[in-house]
Structures are given as C-alpha cells and as structure tokens.
Amino acid sequence: QLTYTIAENPWYVKAGSILPLAAEGTQNLQQRSNALRLLVVPGNGKATYTLYEDDETTQAYTASAYAFTTFDKQRSGNKLTITIGARKGDFDGAFATRQIEVVVEGAATQPHKVVVDGTVTPTQCRLIDHAVVVPLPELSSTVSHTIEIEF
C-alpha cells in the first residue's frame, strides 16, 4: 500500500531516465526562464529525452517557429555522462544560453569531479534529501555540451 500526503506527488519513472524540470523556486510557468533542471533517476545505462520549445504565446509553431534540444545520459559505475545537444530550430525569444542544474537522485555523496566540455569545473554541489544538485556554468544553447560527473 502506498501512502502519501496531498503535498506529496508520487512519480513512476523508468530506472535510469533523464527528465527536464522547471528551475527550483518556479512558481509561475508563464514567466519565461533560461534555467532548467535535469533530473537523473537512479539506474545504469543510457537514456534520451528530447525537449520541445516554442514562444509559448503564439501559434507561430505552425510555421516551423519551434526548437528541439536532446539530452542523452549514460551512467556506468561511478561516472555519469550527460550530452546536451545543440538546439535545433529557432523561435522568437529563444534563449542564447541555459542555466542548468543536474539533480542526481539516489546520490549519497558529493561528486569527486565535474568536467564540462573537457574542462574540470569547480562547482558548489548541494546534498538535498537523497539527491545531489550539480549547478553548471551558463552554457550556450546553440552548441553541444558534454558533462561528466564522477562520484
């Protein structure tokens, strides 16, 4: 039997999945933001998610004014690799950069190393409940990025 309060919301997600979430503290989805959290669910192997975006206000998407970004995740042992694809497509108001945080569920320790595009990156990781939040430097939306997190 599952029990939870009205303030809790159970999620049923395939092991190893990667899911985009709104930025922490978002209270209104009508306020546009370049901030994005990527939730990495415990589990080894590969996962892919394709994020669809448009201007959120008009029907310009019917005339190809929209974009896709693909997120690939590979987890093997103590190494998590996330590839953020270059945004494909465009629309009015598309952000040139993204402020991304990776949330690794089920992680009990801080990462030993975070590497962004081949460069070791100092970061202020936080342990929250049963997850590690790894903030990344602001990244261009128009080129691909590889993030390696070692635990």
Side-chain angles (χ1 to χ4, degrees), residues 46-124:
K46 296 179 181 181
T48 298
Y49 188 93
T50 302
L51 177 69
Y52 168 87
E53 297 176 285
D54 62 29
D55 68 11
E56 300 175 8
T57 57
T58 70
Q59 291 186 349
Y61 62 87
T62 61
S64 300
Y66 57 85
F68 292 98
T69 302
T70 300
F71 302 93
D72 294 307
K73 171 239 142 195
Q74 171 68 46
R75 177 101 190 225
S76 181
N78 67 344
K79 187 175 182 180
L80 170 66
T81 304
I82 297 172
T83 303
I84 302 169
R87 183 178 59 229
K88 294 180 181 172
D90 200 18
F91 57 92
D92 285 343
F95 292 106
T97 62
R98 290 192 195 276
Q99 187 61 57
I100 296 177
E101 288 185 326
V102 177
V103 180
V104 184
E105 278 292 331
T109 61
Q110 297 274 358
H112 298 296
K113 181 169 48 170
V114 176
V115 179
V116 177
D117 295 331
T119 302
V120 175
T121 303
T123 184
Q124 300 295 320

Side-chain angles (χ1 to χ4, degrees), residues 21-41:
L21 302 174
E24 189 173 16
T26 298
Q27 302 214 1
N28 179 343
L29 293 177
Q30 281 68 41
Q31 292 178 311
R32 300 197 65 237
S33 171
N34 75 336
L36 181 68
R37 287 187 298 160
L38 295 177
L39 174 67
V40 178
V41 178

